Amino acid sequence: MSNKIDIKHLEVGKPKEWAAGVPAVLSAFGNIVNKAGVVEGGKLLSQLNQIKGFDCPGCAWPDPLAKRATFEFCENGAKAVADEATTERVTADFFARNSIAQLKQQSDRWLNEQGRLVEPMILNPGASHYVAISWDKALDLIAKQLQELDSANQAAFYTSGRTSNEAAFLYQLFVRQFGTNNLPDCSNMCHESSGVGLGETIGVGKGTVSLEDLEQAEAIFIFGQNPGSNHPRMLSSLQAAKRQGAKIVAINPLDETGLKRFKNPQEVSGVIGQGTALRDLYLPIKINGDVAFLKGLCKELIERDEQGQGVLDKHFIEQYCYGYEAFKHDILSTSWLDIEQHSGLSRRQIHQAADIACQSHKTICCWAMGMTQHKNAVANIQLMTNFLMLQGNLGKAGAGVCPVRGHSNVQGDRTMGIWEKPSASLLDALEAHYQFTVPREHGFDAVETVRAMQEGKVKVFFAMGGNFYRAMPDHSATEPALAQCKLSVQVSTKLNRSHLYTGKMALILPALGRTEIDRQHSGIQTVTVENSMGVVQTSHGKIPPASSKLKSEITIVAELARRVLPHSKVDWLAMRDDYRLIRDGIAKVISGFENFNQRIEQLGEFVLPNAVRDKRQFNTSTQKANFVVHAINDTQLPAGQLLMMTIRSHDQFNTTVYTDNDRYRGIHGSRKVLFANEEDIAELGFKVGEEVNIQSHWPNDVLTVRQVRGFTLVPYNIPRGNTAAYYPETNDLIPLGSVADKSNTPAYKSVVISLQSSQKVK
Ligand SMILES: Nc1nc2c(c(=O)[nH]1)N[C@H]1C(S)=C(S)[C@@H](COP(=O)(O)OP(=O)(O)OC[C@H]3O[C@@H](n4cnc5c(=O)[nH]c(N)nc54)[C@H](O)[C@@H]3O)O[C@H]1N2
Ligand SMILES: Nc1nc2c(c(=O)[nH]1)N[C@H]1C(S)=C(S)[C@@H](COP(=O)(O)OP(=O)(O)OC[C@H]3O[C@@H](n4cnc5c(=O)[nH]c(N)nc54)[C@H](O)[C@@H]3O)O[C@H]1N2
Ligand code: SF4
Ligand SMILES: [Mo]
């Protein structure tokens, strides 16, 4: 494959054969020293993920329980810390110099590089610039706008996943006492399909494995995940598992570097040696071919069992499962032709995967966005779970489901009640403890929130972190929807595009970040988070705040709640002054958090109960683990069309772009690339390195042309008919209505596209 592209700023090299090692260490230290300085940077890295330190604001990968290494972080954790601890500042002067129109011309990367937001700002109706406003005036104004609404349901309260448990709990308490369940969150765009899929099959919307399980597993199937970039310390756990003899299968349209070979920067051999080969089998599945593959895998297992090979765990199926006969019938009547055609994998490849499953007594499935962001994402999750159930791989050591979460506290936020579809038990507990009538009607999720704005049903949009405008699909829908709102509010640490595409009036409320010391009346405060494996742990900020005008998210919620709900019996300000009081409330309302304060004071961390893991108990409609029948989805497209997945580079955290490079995939200097199979490039009449416009196609689309321009064609080892491009530059191609069944998650990874030469259109 010729990889010689060097146009404008873009340089394309060969994808890397191993991950981490010395380049990762250099990048980690380089980043933090450049952005935060030697002294603060060093202090931060020494406290990152330590017991009395602070929790990494990067991803939700867990830390080992109790014992920690001196450096318990990865390159991308260091980048996330450096990005927050930057010494650059976005002041009122900055906003005076830069109009909204000018800022809109800047890239996401440039916006983020301007530094930390340091004082509250307001964009008045019709104004061209943000101007400074005092905290009191800003909060009074929001309170007035909320009180003036005809109904509480005319406001929506978004949450991104960095918010602590305490802030999330207080926030949902305020929102529900205000009177709505309109609590969309980034989960709606992320692992919602996992929650929905697992809820129906095993009765718990979370993973069922611990780090120890992962290291003890005999087989690990990794679906649609790129841990080398997005959960880098997962590679250490995979290495540990390999050393114990585990076999690893990677199911991914891209042969991601991090799953090939890992040089552990914590070990001498990782610095100077060859590293550890991780995956034993790589399956180059077609995008969205997982339902077909999983049905093939289950078919292999069931057929081998029928032939007397004793593959299935009959006892588990009989005692703990429901619906096996119908499932078996469906699987056996699925044809190999369909399976091969729609998965893009050969029967031989599926046979090899089945060999690994059959040799294992303890199998884990890990997955991330490659499974959750498709129309049939819920089917993906359910079939993966069903595959595990066939061999009894739930509720036993070394086995289970492992949805690998994104944001560092996205799982905790849900546990705390950030959910537009709260369970009746949560609402009952809130009502009993806080003595107010809770709203019972379900609220809007992220996509529904945009629709409600379009229809004038939501008039105030309040975001606790994140970059809603940029992270959502379809800016042609989101922009006018937000513009119709009377008010939009962003509680933020860094400047982003959601500060530029706003309601008629907009506010920026600058918040303390995870790394910063949070001092309140009762002293320095501690917060808690829950990682991807259900472990709750403390986090203590370590460096002085970026500005004396920052408020903690908790303070912002408490001071707003007191204004909006003057008759509330909740003592908001007492909780603001002492976060232990919030934890006392959590202990009363959320199960698993009994004696919350005592436990974290004594232990620093604890593991939440999990009925499946702990007791093989399945709290589903049937009280059993459910087998579910799903049809194979069609992955064939008409000639001239390609399927595109939108993915993350190694140098971004969601919408925060650190650099224009993607080291492991060999990309330097530009993010406007489309990875495609070289044969497709030729067949469609294009040349490698040519600049193209990308148009998307969706049968129900309201727009006649949906297009992004000027992307360079990069040949890549990807199945025929498939392409990949970076998020968020391509989000405009995804119509708001293109979502997963049941979970309503945007189908960010199933975008049907065609290409046009950018020369011809100009
Ligand atoms: N450094 C860094 N860390 C992060 C983030 C970040 O942006 N940067 N984001 C955080 C967040 S919020 C999240 S949700 C996670 C995301 O973590 P990932 O899910 O690993 O991130 P993506 O880049 O979206 O990668 C999806 C992977 O799925 C594969 N894939 C796409 N479609 C399919 C498919 O149909 N089938 C299969 N089998 N595979 C497919 C892609 O090739 C890619 O390897 O990472 C978290 N951690
Ligand atoms: N095309 C495409 N789109 C996608 C995805 C995809 O794979 N493809 N992935 C989706 C996924 S998985 C997710 S999770 C969403 C992410 O959606 P979001 O969570 O909304 O977006 P982020 O980019 O993580 O938000 C970054 C902003 O959060 C703010 N921030 C950072 N830390 C803090 C903090 O501690 N407190 C406060 N108050 N603010 C803070 C900063 O201002 C920063 O600019 O994007 C989704 N969008
Ligand atoms: S793996 Fe995730 S949580 Fe751990 S240090 Fe890296 S970015 Fe932070
Ligand atoms: Mo995510």
Side-chain angles (χ1 to χ4, degrees):
M1 191 186 289
S2 82
N3 268 331
K4 277 216 161 56
I5 301 177
D6 191 352
I7 45 165
K8 290 191 198 154
H9 306 292
L10 170 66
E11 270 178 53
V12 180
K14 281 217 157 64
K16 298 279 175 290
E17 289 302 312
W18 48 267
V22 175
V25 178
L26 293 178
S27 155
F29 286 99
N31 253 287
I32 199 113
V33 169
N34 284 341
K35 289 191 175 163
V38 180
V39 177
E40 297 294 38
K43 196 194 290 177
L44 282 170
L45 288 189
S46 69
Q47 295 294 326
L48 180 48
N49 290 331
Q50 298 299 326
I51 300 272
K52 289 272 170 200
F54 64 97
D55 179 64
C56 177
C59 76
W61 190 253
D63 307 310
L65 284 174
K67 64 172 191 334
R68 304 276 158 91
T70 319
F71 293 115
E72 203 58 78
F73 59 85
C74 72
E75 173 192 0
N76 281 341
K79 281 184 207 159
V81 170
D83 196 62
E84 186 174 293
T86 174
T87 49
E88 300 292 325
R89 299 287 178 263
V90 176
T91 58
D93 254 13
F94 169 91
F95 286 108
R97 284 196 309 273
N98 293 281
S99 69
I100 298 297
Q102 284 168 323
L103 292 173
K104 281 181 178 172
Q105 301 303 314
Q106 300 290 356
S107 67
D108 296 297
R109 178 179 168 184
W110 186 91
L111 293 174
N112 178 61
E113 278 171 354
Q114 302 316 302
R116 286 290 296 276
L117 295 158
V118 287
E119 59 185 306
M121 303 296 302
I122 182 165
L123 184 66
N124 284 304
S128 57
H129 292 70
Y130 272 100
V131 291
I133 181 173
S134 71
W135 274 106
D136 276 337
K137 282 199 180 129
L139 295 172
D140 284 345
L141 194 150
I142 303 168
K144 184 164 174 283
Q145 295 273 342
L146 287 174
Q147 283 163 338
E148 277 174 11
L149 294 173
D150 298 333
S151 130
N153 289 331
Q154 289 182 338
F157 298 85
Y158 175 71
T159 313
S160 170
R162 270 199 192 162
T163 303
S164 67
N165 288 334
E166 289 75 6
F169 182 80
L170 203 68
Y171 185 47
Q172 63 83 40
L173 180 64
F174 156 59
V175 170
R176 297 207 159 100
Q177 191 159 28
F178 175 60
T180 181
N181 282 313
N182 286 345
L183 283 159
D185 69 348
C186 68
S187 251
N188 297 147
M189 310 177 210
C190 186
H191 265 293
E192 194 69 63
S193 310
S194 306
V196 172
L198 292 173
E200 287 179 1
T201 45
I202 61 170
V204 47
K206 299 182 183 182
T208 67
V209 301
S210 65
L211 269 188
E212 295 70 47
D213 289 322
L214 201 68
E215 293 175 7
Q216 285 171 30
E218 292 174 2
I220 304 172
F221 284 68
I222 303 172
F223 289 85
Q225 196 200 343
N226 177 22
S229 291
N230 299 319
H231 304 92
R233 282 190 316 150
M234 179 173 170
L235 302 189
S236 314
S237 298
L238 294 177
Q239 181 186 43
K242 282 291 295 190
R243 286 179 174 160
Q244 309 247 30
K247 291 265 194 290
I248 296 176
V249 184
I251 303 104
N252 198 313
L254 304 180
D255 194 4
E256 300 284 23
T257 302
L259 290 173
K260 290 185 195 165
R261 185 168 279 279
F262 172 52
K263 295 193 184 184
N264 192 336
Q266 313 267 12
E267 298 176 349
V268 177
S269 61
V271 178
I272 54 173
Q274 292 299 304
T276 309
L278 291 182
R279 54 149 172 72
D280 298 88
L281 179 64
Y282 165 59
L283 299 176
I285 196 163
K286 286 208 293 195
I287 295 175
N288 207 11
D290 302 84
V291 165
F293 164 65
L294 281 158
K295 290 188 89 165
L297 187 59
C298 291
K299 191 172 163 87
E300 275 278 347
L301 297 190
I302 296 173
E303 282 179 355
R304 288 184 195 196
D305 194 75
E306 301 269 286
Q307 290 155 12
Q309 294 181 33
V311 170
L312 305 187
D313 185 338
K314 294 271 172 43
H315 169 75
F316 182 82
I317 294 174
E318 270 158 35
Q319 175 139 5
Y320 295 102
C321 301
Y322 177 87
Y324 176 63
E325 285 308 318
F327 179 77
K328 176 176 148 186
H329 176 77
D330 173 68
I331 293 290
L332 291 180
S333 54
T334 305
S335 79
W336 279 112
L337 191 69
D338 278 350
I339 291 169
E340 290 187 303
Q341 195 172 32
H342 295 291
S343 66
L345 300 172
S346 66
R347 185 152 178 200
R348 203 180 107 74
Q349 286 170 313
I350 300 173
H351 190 89
Q352 288 173 323
D355 283 347
I356 292 179
C358 290
Q359 282 151 19
S360 160
H361 301 96
K362 300 183 264 183
T363 302
I364 287 177
C365 287
C366 298
W367 71 91
M369 297 302 102
M371 294 300 261
T372 63
Q373 297 175 333
H374 297 287
K375 180 167 192 305
N376 44 280
V378 171
N380 280 342
I381 310 307
Q382 298 194 328
L383 282 166
M384 213 165 12
T385 316
N386 287 172
F387 153 63
L388 291 171
M389 284 154 55
L390 287 176
Q391 295 185 290
N393 281 310
L394 283 174
K396 73 177 182 193
V401 287
C402 181
V404 185
R405 304 277 162 181
H407 270 294
S408 59
N409 197 38
V410 63
Q411 186 158 319
D413 291 347
R414 264 295 158 89
T415 308
M416 291 298 118
I418 301 292
W419 197 12
E420 77 285 354
K421 299 182 187 68
S423 65
S425 58
L426 171 82
L427 295 180
D428 293 344
L430 273 176
E431 202 160 57
H433 187 65
Y434 289 103
Q435 310 260 303
F436 66 91
T437 310
V438 296
R440 297 274 163 175
E441 188 191 349
H442 284 174
F444 298 130
D445 64 20
V447 168
E448 288 163 352
T449 295
V450 176
R451 292 242 185 274
M453 287 174 183
Q454 286 172 333
E455 292 162 13
K457 289 185 191 153
V458 161
K459 298 188 162 129
V460 174
F461 178 70
F462 187 102
M464 184 58 80
N467 188 358
F468 184 77
Y469 166 79
R470 196 62 170 145
M472 284 294 281
D474 205 345
H475 303 140
S476 71
T478 321
E479 181 185 339
L482 277 160
Q484 280 216 61
C485 291
K486 279 186 1 186
L487 172 69
S488 63
V489 183
Q490 288 282 143
V491 178
S492 305
T493 52
K494 303 289 296 282
L495 186 62
N496 66 43
R497 220 161 275 285
S498 296
H499 303 122
L500 312 178
Y501 293 89
T502 63
K504 294 191 172 67
M505 185 162 31
L507 282 162
I508 300 176
L509 304 181
L512 282 178
R514 189 76 67 72
T515 52
E516 290 164 323
I517 298 166
D518 184 352
R519 189 185 295 276
Q520 304 295 341
H521 285 301
S522 67
I524 291 178
Q525 304 297 311
T526 297
V527 293
T528 61
V529 292
E530 174 187 342
N531 65 36
S532 203
M533 293 181 177
V535 181
V536 178
Q537 64 197 73
T538 55
S539 181
H540 316 254
K542 290 293 164 189
I543 57 170
S547 144
S548 58
K549 289 191 183 157
L550 301 186
K551 284 188 191 272
S552 74
E553 293 175 349
I554 290 169
T555 304
I556 295 170
V557 173
E559 295 183 354
L560 181 61
R562 194 183 57 88
R563 286 173 164 85
V564 178
L565 307 167
H567 307 299
S568 168
K569 292 195 196 103
V570 177
D571 193 345
W572 303 100
L573 298 190
M575 293 201 273
R576 170 197 69 180
D577 294 344
D578 185 350
Y579 299 175
R580 283 173 298 190
L581 300 178
I582 308 178
R583 284 190 286 275
D584 284 341
I586 295 173
K588 291 280 182 327
V589 172
I590 313 280
S591 65
F593 285 83
E594 298 74 19
N595 303 319
F596 192 5
N597 276 310
Q598 291 91 312
R599 281 202 280 171
I600 57 160
E601 273 155 30
Q602 282 161 15
L603 309 168
E605 59 195 354
F606 60 91
V607 184
L608 287 173
N610 181 305
V612 173
R613 188 196 60 214
D614 305 338
K615 300 187 273 190
R616 277 200 163 172
Q617 185 180 311
F618 301 98
N619 298 322
T620 61
S621 53
T622 58
Q623 296 298 309
K624 303 236 170 179
N626 289 317
F627 280 101
V628 192
V629 170
H630 287 287
I632 290 182
N633 49 293
D634 194 350
T635 57
Q636 308 283 92
L637 289 175
Q641 295 191 346
L642 302 163
L643 200 56
M644 181 183 78
M645 53 184 178
T646 58
I647 55 174
R648 291 156 171 80
S649 77
H650 190 63
D651 254 3
Q652 73 183 87
F653 192 91
N654 297 340
T655 65
T656 302
V657 175
Y658 303 132
T659 75
D660 294 339
N661 307 332
D662 190 3
R663 193 170 80 230
Y664 293 151
R665 299 195 185 104
I667 300 294
H668 293 271
S670 171
R671 292 172 50 86
K672 286 183 77 176
V673 294
L674 183 71
F675 297 100
N677 186 297
E678 199 165 0
E679 289 174 36
D680 284 329
I681 297 178
E683 196 178 284
L684 292 171
F686 294 99
K687 290 196 192 65
V688 162
E690 189 173 342
E691 229 180 61
V692 294
N693 299 333
I694 311 173
Q695 189 175 333
S696 69
H697 305 271
W698 193 61
N700 311 327
D701 207 350
V702 284
L703 281 192
T704 39
V705 180
R706 191 180 283 282
Q707 196 182 50
V708 294
R709 290 162 167 263
F711 281 67
T712 304
L713 282 172
V714 171
Y716 208 79
N717 185 10
I718 186 169
R720 287 295 304 270
N722 287 179
T723 61
Y726 296 123
Y727 135 66
E729 286 81 351
T730 44
N731 281 32
D732 271 342
L733 292 174
I734 307 158
L736 189 67
S738 174
V739 293
D741 299 334
K742 287 194 176 179
S743 67
N744 219 24
T745 296
Y748 294 118
K749 293 198 173 22
S750 284
V751 191
V752 177
I753 59 163
S754 63
L755 308 180
Q756 297 80 41
S757 165
S758 62
Q759 313 311 358
K760 282 184 210 137
V761 185
K762 268 185 209 152

